[in-house]
Amino acid sequence: MSEKSSSSGSEEDVDPESGQPVELGGVLSKWTNYIHGWQDRWVVLKNNTLSYYKSEDEREYGCRGSLCLSKAVITPHEFDECRFDISVNDSVWYLRAEDPEHRLQWIESIELHKAESGYGSETSLRRHGSMLSLTSAASALSATSTSSFKKGHRLREKLAEMETFRDILCRQVDTLQKYFDTCADVVSKDEFQRDKVLEEDEDEFPTTTRPNGEYNHNNNGSKEKLCPPASPKCMNGVDFKGEAITFKATTAGILSTLSHCIELMVKQEDSWQKRLDKEGPNSLINEDEFFDAVEAALDRQDKIEEQCQSEKVRIPRRTLVPPGDIYSTIGTHRFATKVEEMVQNHMTYSLQDVGGDANWQLVIEEGEMKVYRREVEENGIVLDPLKATHSVKGVTGHEVCHYFWDTAVRMDWETTIENFNVVETLSDNAVIVYQTHKRVWPASQRDVLYLSAIRKILATNENDPDTWLVCNFSVDHDNALPTNRCVRAKINVAMICQTLVSPPEGDKEISRDNILCKITYVANVNPGGWAPASVLRAVAKREYPKFLKRFTSYVQEKTAGKPILF
């Protein structure tokens, strides 16, 4: 981005009449985020404060942010000759000028404002005559408050004002503290001198004045201090009265701004609640903000999970595995027909090769893993079917499906679930599960109620690989009705695992080195509510491969060194 810098004052850095640095205004490129990158912003340098606006025309609406430069650190970039960074505590602005010359102009002007601000020195407020905190600050506060209150960026501007007032107040407290320390030193010295005089010869005849002019001996033998109390003007040049007035004005400005903030927050409480909870095409959060918020939330969850995994010591669990013939039975429970229908559909359609199908898009390919997506929308809601294929060495299809289905170990590898419980056990190979997923702000929290069944698929001929399947599909249940707390999502998910065995060398027994599990994972998810299509697709593209890698690594870890379970 280019920078079209211009000064609203004279060409000189300092106003010859006032001796103060002139105002500087112009366009600089400011880094916003990785979605929008560098964006041109109108930047104004005035009265030791750097402020920016979306454009010069929008200055009347109030600034989008500001930095008090007294404690700012300006850092020219090491490699980019046009870039410089400004940091104040934890706040950092990344800025770029049009060319190195303009960058130098801005840096020198900022340093000059910073040096001439006066705040932070003992004589600062006296020298500037309470410029920022008295009448001018109060009038500016009133004018800005009225304008921003009526138009846009209201609360954001008030918070920026609060930050500026905070910096001013901290400097004033420092100055007053130095004054009080000086007063304490003077009193201490005075007491020391008095004690010194008292120790002198008590028989010395009364005198009107002592050579140092400090004490007078009265006829009654007592001593009076002649030197008047130290004037505030002599306390390192600090005008105590002026400092006190300035301090009072600054605190008044803080209280006024706080009352504005409270008023704004009360007025905007309803709209904020809608922003938090509302989903739909008319959502108050635009798509870019939605994406940034979701990605930030997922990143935080990843960091928390990494910490938990590093601290977690997994407790060995002994899970009883029923005989294979139990898994191959259809069952007699009330959902048995539906389960059989789902199993047959997945075995018929889910294993079909999608490589040559134009409706399927390959979105991820990492080693043995491939993830495909078919874009489908219904009434504005994204319903993209997803299919992933993966090959994992050293584990069998039975083992993979067992750990995917077994609720006893679910929380060992599943990181997106907040809590879950088994609503009903239908048989040895079928349960109904209710689970809530961790909320990813600004999307509403989701829950899901589904039947989970594990099946061993009987081979039709001797060349068929050993095949296992877990299917999860949404159902209704009286003990887990939808609530207002969560949006109920609908799912139809299947994991189909085929075990391929290569013959061992010579007379050796089959080991895990001879085993390869081919995984086909299909997911059809209806989120139950609206969210930006691009956001949902980006999240799916990011999260599904992570899930497959995390889960298969968990199975490999759990089965390492154990007997093979076919």
Side-chain angles (χ1 to χ4, degrees), residues 30-50:
K30 183 177 183 297
W31 178 260
T32 53
N33 54 53
Y34 78 97
I35 295 291
H36 300 292
W38 295 95
Q39 296 289 323
D40 283 350
R41 295 290 181 256
W42 182 261
V43 182
V44 174
L45 175 61
K46 183 180 180 181
N47 293 338
N48 191 40
T49 301
L50 192 68

Side-chain angles (χ1 to χ4, degrees), residues 502-552:
S502 59
E505 296 181 2
D507 296 331
K508 292 182 179 179
E509 293 184 355
I510 294 176
S511 69
R512 293 195 176 274
D513 293 334
N514 305 116
I515 298 172
L516 179 71
C517 181
K518 182 180 178 182
I519 300 173
T520 301
Y521 180 80
V522 292
N524 291 269
V525 178
N526 183 336
W530 181 90
S534 61
V535 175
L536 288 179
R537 285 166 180 150
V539 170
K541 183 177 178 180
R542 161 183 166 151
E543 293 300 309
Y544 277 111
K546 283 173 52 179
F547 148 70
L548 270 180
K549 287 189 286 188
R550 180 175 64 246
F551 171 68
T552 53

Side-chain angles (χ1 to χ4, degrees), residues 258-326:
L258 270 176
S259 66
H260 276 290
C261 288
I262 294 170
E263 185 178 353
L264 286 170
M265 287 188 285
V266 169
K267 287 188 175 183
Q268 295 186 5
E269 183 177 5
D270 291 340
S271 65
W272 286 345
Q273 190 61 44
K274 291 177 182 177
R275 182 181 287 261
L276 283 171
D277 297 335
K278 186 175 181 180
E279 289 188 358
N282 298 319
S283 172
L284 298 175
I285 301 178
N286 64 44
E287 194 163 316
D288 290 332
E289 290 175 332
F290 205 109
F291 182 86
D292 290 344
V294 167
E295 186 166 60
L298 291 173
D299 287 340
R300 284 194 297 273
Q301 288 186 8
D302 287 346
K303 288 182 180 179
I304 293 172
E305 179 59 25
E306 287 176 5
Q307 292 175 348
C308 292
Q309 290 297 331
S310 62
E311 298 170 359
K312 183 190 298 183
V313 177
R314 288 203 177 113
I315 302 173
R317 304 177 189 270
R318 294 189 62 186
T319 55
L320 299 177
V321 183
D325 56 351
I326 292 179

Side-chain angles (χ1 to χ4, degrees), residues 201-413:
D201 188 1
E202 294 292 340
D203 296 333
E204 190 174 336
F205 62 87
T207 181
T208 304
T209 59
R210 294 185 59 82
N212 59 10
E214 287 185 335
Y215 291 92
N216 177 48
H217 290 260
N218 293 330
N219 291 333
N220 59 7
S222 64
K223 301 179 180 66
E224 291 182 348
K225 189 174 181 181
L226 296 181
C227 179
S231 169
K233 293 288 185 181
C234 69
M235 302 295 186
N236 286 339
V238 177
D239 180 2
F240 176 73
K241 185 176 181 180
E243 295 289 348
I245 295 173
T246 305
F247 185 85
K248 182 178 179 181
T250 305
T251 53
I254 291 174
L255 293 175
S256 176
T257 305
L258 270 176
S259 66
H260 276 290
C261 288
I262 294 170
E263 185 178 353
L264 286 170
M265 287 188 285
V266 169
K267 287 188 175 183
Q268 295 186 5
E269 183 177 5
D270 291 340
S271 65
W272 286 345
Q273 190 61 44
K274 291 177 182 177
R275 182 181 287 261
L276 283 171
D277 297 335
K278 186 175 181 180
E279 289 188 358
N282 298 319
S283 172
L284 298 175
I285 301 178
N286 64 44
E287 194 163 316
D288 290 332
E289 290 175 332
F290 205 109
F291 182 86
D292 290 344
V294 167
E295 186 166 60
L298 291 173
D299 287 340
R300 284 194 297 273
Q301 288 186 8
D302 287 346
K303 288 182 180 179
I304 293 172
E305 179 59 25
E306 287 176 5
Q307 292 175 348
C308 292
Q309 290 297 331
S310 62
E311 298 170 359
K312 183 190 298 183
V313 177
R314 288 203 177 113
I315 302 173
R317 304 177 189 270
R318 294 189 62 186
T319 55
L320 299 177
V321 183
D325 56 351
I326 292 179
Y327 288 132
S328 61
T329 57
I330 296 177
T332 57
H333 52 81
R334 64 186 185 281
F335 290 100
T337 303
K338 183 65 174 177
V339 171
E340 185 62 21
E341 179 185 340
M342 287 292 184
V343 168
Q344 294 304 321
N345 285 340
H346 283 301
M347 290 303 299
T348 302
Y349 300 108
S350 298
L351 290 177
Q352 291 180 354
D353 185 18
V354 297
D357 191 335
N359 293 323
W360 288 92
Q361 303 173 15
L362 178 63
V363 293
I364 289 288
E365 184 172 7
E366 296 181 8
E368 296 292 331
M369 183 191 303
K370 294 181 180 179
V371 180
Y372 300 87
R373 180 180 65 214
R374 192 172 74 241
E375 295 189 358
V376 176
E377 290 189 31
E378 186 176 303
N379 298 324
I381 298 177
V382 175
L383 305 174
D384 294 354
L386 181 139
K387 182 173 183 176
T389 60
H390 194 25
S391 296
V392 184
K393 293 181 179 180
V395 295
T396 66
H398 186 180
E399 292 167 334
V400 174
C401 284
H402 168 72
Y403 285 108
F404 185 66
W405 178 80
D406 188 3
T407 56
V409 298
R410 178 71 50 82
M411 300 303 288
D412 285 352
W413 57 266

Side-chain angles (χ1 to χ4, degrees), residues 165-189:
F165 274 127
R166 180 196 64 189
D167 293 339
I168 295 172
L169 191 61
C170 287
R171 289 191 293 271
Q172 290 174 338
V173 168
D174 289 341
T175 303
L176 289 173
Q177 185 61 54
K178 290 175 183 176
Y179 174 83
F180 295 140
D181 291 342
T182 303
C183 288
D185 290 342
V186 169
V187 171
S188 298
K189 290 178 181 178

